Amino acid sequence: MDIEGFVRARIDDYSYDDLSVLLAERIREYKDISDENSVKMARAVIDEVSTTLKLKESDDEFLKEIAEITKSGVGMGEMGVGSRGAGDFFVHRRIADIVASTNTASLVNPTEQDDGGVVRSRAKNDDVYITTAVDGIHSRLSEYPFLGGFHVTRATLRDVCVMGADPVAILSDVHLADDGDVGKIFDFTAGVAAVSELVGVPIVAGSTLRVGGDMVLGDRFVSAVGSVGVSDYPPTARKGATKGDVILLTEGSGGGTITTTALYNGFFDVVWDTMNVNFVQASQSLFEADLVKDIHAMTDVTNGGLRGDAHEISNTTGVGLEFYEKDIRAMVAPNVLNMLETLNIDPLGVSTDSLMLVVPEDIAEDVKKTVSSAGVDISEIGQVTDSGEPILIKEDSSTEKLVPLFREAAYTKIKKLVGDTTPEDFEIMQEKVQKACEDAIAKKEKVIKYINKN
């Protein structure tokens, strides 16, 4: 519970004493403290919030402008942010707009909507490409920190691998709310370390903090893991896809999303299907065979499933993509596919964590043999065309344009209730978000100008 947010939302509607009593009751739901101490704590929070609100009365107009939140009037859940669909993609492109001015020296940046970014080393006599990526723990794995740590580490390493970079370092950032058991931190770290040891990439740095400090009660756990990779060759970003290329896909058994689906729907045996490092092993086999330099594009089937990735690749490059449904289904691990079909979850609309490779036709067989030698199944699932659209050829020979849903395929009961249909006012929501993005950019430019002048 965010007690600071609780106060900010009610401070104008309650007297000081009434709000103190109300908040003290909430605090005692989490804290085993006396009535007297809970009231003291409540009043301290109210006093602190009241002090910050006095900023609105300050004569420093510029500071007030900078401190004021740039509001869009659209909520995260309402826009579908983090749900790997059309709304999420729209917001991520706006984030790319805000950071675009910082990317003059980068080779791959958020503009391309790839998960990893690439720069070239500035060291003298050292032409090395450096890739970085960061991923957050799946929100529904807060109560399963070991699994959360394991899968978020796999995720960030995947994001480095698909840039054609060999992972060399892992970083961990842990946030646990005030009432959380410290053991959660250890469990999470053990999950990160398990992947680290399995793939031979060291954990080199990290940070450990409380969620919201004293202002958030409960035991909510959130965290992120980052990774760094290096390569002697330019990145295999999505923009490299070329007409005539062959599309290959490794078998996907899922990660954090599939684990969450399994846990919250009672398919507990499927969790073990996800506990592997096949993706990294497949990538490392390509590094060792010196094939990465010849691959046009690599990506992981995560953000909104194949529907989302296909749309983003086509949208970024302008090429068309032609996929074969039967071949794609064959590359979903049997237990995982059975679970998805039993729960009526679209396998093409959820993260399966497969490695998708876009390669010239003349090296396709070499790539398949190399990945297979690492013990990972791989198959051809389509080709790159000049249609400008991602098309699925279904098992009955009919065709379907692959477009991302507003949210990724619903894989828990609560997600099914929320739904994945596009809101009727989505265009209006986009306009509001766009305006907030432009306001944030203007704020950034004002601050830069002020600091440079002073």
Side-chain angles (χ1 to χ4, degrees):
M1 177 188 175
D2 181 354
I3 55 178
E4 181 176 2
F6 184 91
V7 169
R8 289 184 182 277
R10 294 163 177 80
I11 197 165
D12 293 330
D13 301 322
Y14 289 83
S15 68
Y16 183 88
D17 289 338
D18 287 345
L19 186 54
S20 298
V21 172
L22 184 62
L23 180 56
E25 291 175 353
R26 297 292 182 273
I27 290 172
R28 290 196 299 274
E29 293 175 5
Y30 292 89
K31 300 284 189 183
D32 184 16
I33 59 177
S34 67
D35 290 2
E36 181 182 359
N37 284 337
S38 67
V39 171
K40 286 181 178 179
M41 186 173 178
R43 288 177 175 171
V45 176
I46 297 170
D47 290 345
E48 289 185 5
V49 171
S50 298
T51 299
T52 64
L53 292 177
K54 293 177 181 177
L55 177 60
K56 295 179 181 179
E57 303 167 7
S58 169
D59 294 332
D60 192 332
E61 296 298 329
F62 190 32
L63 179 58
K64 287 194 290 186
E65 179 185 352
I66 300 306
E68 184 71 21
I69 297 174
T70 302
K71 291 187 177 180
S72 67
V74 182
M76 287 281 282
E78 186 182 7
M79 192 68 186
V81 180
S83 295
R84 305 304 186 233
D88 187 50
F89 297 151
F90 183 85
V91 171
H92 275 83
R93 292 192 191 99
R94 302 294 75 76
I95 293 173
D97 291 342
I98 295 173
V99 304
S101 58
T102 73
N103 292 322
T104 56
S106 63
L107 300 174
V108 178
N109 56 62
T111 303
E112 278 84 31
Q113 296 295 289
D114 274 298
D115 290 327
V118 184
V119 295
R120 183 174 289 173
S121 170
R122 293 181 178 177
K124 294 181 179 179
N125 304 318
D126 188 11
D127 195 18
V128 174
Y129 297 90
I130 302 171
T131 298
T132 60
V134 63
D135 280 272
I137 185 177
H138 195 292
S139 58
R140 297 303 301 277
L141 295 180
S142 175
E143 292 301 316
Y144 307 94
F146 183 94
L147 295 174
F150 188 94
H151 287 301
V152 72
T153 307
R154 291 170 75 237
T156 188
L157 291 173
R158 286 198 311 269
D159 291 342
V160 164
C161 288
V162 297
M163 288 293 104
D166 192 8
V168 295
I170 295 170
L171 306 88
S172 175
D173 182 35
V174 180
H175 293 248
L176 179 61
D178 196 63
D179 301 298
D181 191 297
V182 173
K184 274 193 172 185
I185 297 173
F186 299 151
D187 247 12
F188 173 81
T189 303
V192 177
V195 175
S196 170
E197 291 184 34
L198 285 167
V199 299
V201 180
I203 302 169
V204 299
S207 173
T208 304
L209 295 168
R210 285 180 298 157
V211 175
D214 298 312
M215 292 295 183
V216 175
L217 308 181
D219 63 351
R220 176 57 67 176
F221 182 84
V222 295
S223 62
V225 174
S227 59
V228 179
V230 296
S231 172
D232 295 327
Y233 306 110
T236 52
R238 292 172 176 175
K239 60 186 178 183
T242 305
K243 177 187 175 183
D245 285 346
V246 172
I247 305 174
L248 305 176
L249 190 72
T250 64
E251 184 180 69
S253 55
T257 296
I258 294 299
T259 296
T260 297
T261 306
L263 289 172
Y264 287 92
N265 288 283
F267 287 78
F268 304 128
D269 60 317
V270 174
V271 172
W272 287 112
D273 285 80
T274 70
M275 302 291 283
N276 61 71
V277 290
N278 292 349
F279 194 106
V280 179
Q281 290 171 335
S283 301
Q284 289 177 331
S285 71
L286 295 171
F287 301 149
E288 293 169 2
D290 201 27
L291 282 169
V292 171
K293 67 180 187 302
D294 301 315
I295 294 172
H296 284 173
M298 295 170 67
T299 191
D300 54 340
V301 180
T302 51
N303 297 337
L306 189 64
R307 290 182 181 278
D309 284 314
H311 177 267
E312 287 301 299
I313 292 172
S314 183
N315 187 61
T316 300
T317 64
V319 300
L321 302 168
E322 191 173 88
F323 296 97
Y324 309 112
E325 183 181 36
K326 181 179 179 181
D327 296 325
I328 294 171
R329 289 171 59 84
M331 284 293 101
V332 181
N335 282 350
V336 174
L337 182 62
N338 175 67
M339 178 183 72
L340 295 176
E341 291 183 331
T342 300
L343 297 172
N344 195 29
I345 298 171
D346 178 14
L348 275 68
V350 71
S351 302
T352 59
D353 293 42
S354 299
L355 170 61
M356 187 162 71
L357 301 145
V358 180
V359 305
E361 186 176 7
D362 59 357
I363 70 163
E365 285 303 317
D366 289 338
V367 170
K368 286 195 286 186
K369 288 179 181 177
T370 299
V371 172
S372 296
S373 69
V376 180
D377 290 338
I378 185 170
S379 179
E380 181 177 334
I381 62 160
Q383 59 188 342
V384 180
T385 69
D386 59 1
S387 70
E389 296 181 335
I391 301 296
L392 177 69
I393 300 177
K394 306 180 82 170
E395 294 190 46
D396 62 3
S397 298
S398 64
T399 61
E400 171 192 344
K401 181 179 177 180
L402 288 173
V403 294
L405 303 172
F406 184 69
R407 293 182 175 87
E408 64 188 324
Y411 51 87
T412 63
K413 288 183 179 180
I414 190 67
K415 286 185 176 292
K416 288 181 183 296
L417 287 172
V418 172
D420 55 20
T421 56
T422 303
E424 293 182 1
D425 60 346
F426 185 43
E427 289 188 8
I428 296 174
M429 291 164 59
Q430 288 176 304
E431 291 173 1
K432 291 180 177 179
V433 170
Q434 178 67 44
K435 175 62 166 54
C437 173
E438 292 169 358
D439 290 345
I441 291 173
K443 181 183 292 188
K444 175 198 67 174
E445 291 173 347
K446 284 184 179 180
V447 170
I448 293 172
K449 183 177 180 181
Y450 174 84
I451 293 174
N452 283 335
K453 185 175 67 175
N454 291 278

